[in-house]
Amino acid sequence: RLDDARPRRQQLTDAINALDTAADTGLYNTIQAAYDTVLANYDPDAANLVVVITDGRDDTGDRPGISLDDLLAHLQSAPAEGQQVRVVTVSFGEDPDYQIMQRISEATGGQAYHSRDGFDLVDVLRSAVFSGIQ
């Protein structure tokens, strides 16, 4: 429970239900930054998991961004011996590039999930998070 006395699960569910997609998301940059943050704070007794909820598109607008190949190379080379940070992707919508999400997740030992209409997003996210914890 946090400060407002709601269980963490309810706070997470409420936050997910309030999500709205926006254009110009540098997906690959965001995944790399999240991955690097978890890696920098690596805890051998924790799940060390990055969960990305996305429309599956890397759209940096006019900002510079890294390529998919650069991201995959980084994900595979960044961890030290014995460290693993898994990236779990949860894409939603009619037309995400699911194969790319699979490649990103698989590069770290994670899994990719998809919610076609978003109505089952909470259930998909629950599966994604809790199946990734060993």
Side-chain angles (χ1 to χ4, degrees), residues 6 37 71 92 103 132:
R6 289 182 301 147
T37 298
L71 173 63
F92 62 94
R103 288 181 64 195

Side-chain angles (χ1 to χ4, degrees), residues 28 58 66-74 100-101 103-104:
Y28 304 155
D58 180 54
I66 64 172
S67 69
L68 175 61
D69 289 338
D70 289 341
L71 173 63
L72 293 172
H74 181 77
I100 288 177
M101 297 300 97
R103 288 181 64 195
I104 292 169

Side-chain angles (χ1 to χ4, degrees), residues 93-106:
E94 291 292 323
D95 195 27
D97 197 331
Y98 186 68
Q99 289 181 343
I100 288 177
M101 297 300 97
Q102 283 181 309
R103 288 181 64 195
I104 292 169
S105 293
E106 288 173 359

Side-chain angles (χ1 to χ4, degrees), residues 46-49 51 86 88 113 126-134:
N48 297 294
L49 186 69
V51 179
R86 288 186 305 269
V88 174
Y113 295 83
R126 186 177 298 121
S127 294
V129 170
F130 293 111
S131 69
I133 297 174
Q134 300 178 19

Side-chain angles (χ1 to χ4, degrees), residues 30-133:
T30 301
I31 291 172
Q32 181 175 326
Y35 182 88
D36 289 349
T37 298
V38 173
L39 192 58
N41 295 286
Y42 189 84
D43 181 348
D45 297 322
N48 297 294
L49 186 69
V50 173
V51 179
V52 180
I53 303 171
T54 177
D55 63 359
R57 299 284 180 219
D58 180 54
D59 179 10
T60 60
D62 294 330
R63 297 178 310 273
I66 64 172
S67 69
L68 175 61
D69 289 338
D70 289 341
L71 173 63
L72 293 172
H74 181 77
L75 295 175
Q76 293 170 341
S77 68
E81 183 73 27
Q83 292 182 329
Q84 182 180 29
V85 174
R86 288 186 305 269
V87 175
V88 174
T89 56
V90 179
S91 55
F92 62 94
E94 291 292 323
D95 195 27
D97 197 331
Y98 186 68
Q99 289 181 343
I100 288 177
M101 297 300 97
Q102 283 181 309
R103 288 181 64 195
I104 292 169
S105 293
E106 288 173 359
T108 65
Q111 293 185 329
Y113 295 83
H114 180 247
S115 169
R116 181 164 303 283
D117 57 17
F119 289 109
D120 63 345
L121 189 57
V122 172
D123 292 332
V124 171
L125 183 59
R126 186 177 298 121
S127 294
V129 170
F130 293 111
S131 69
I133 297 174

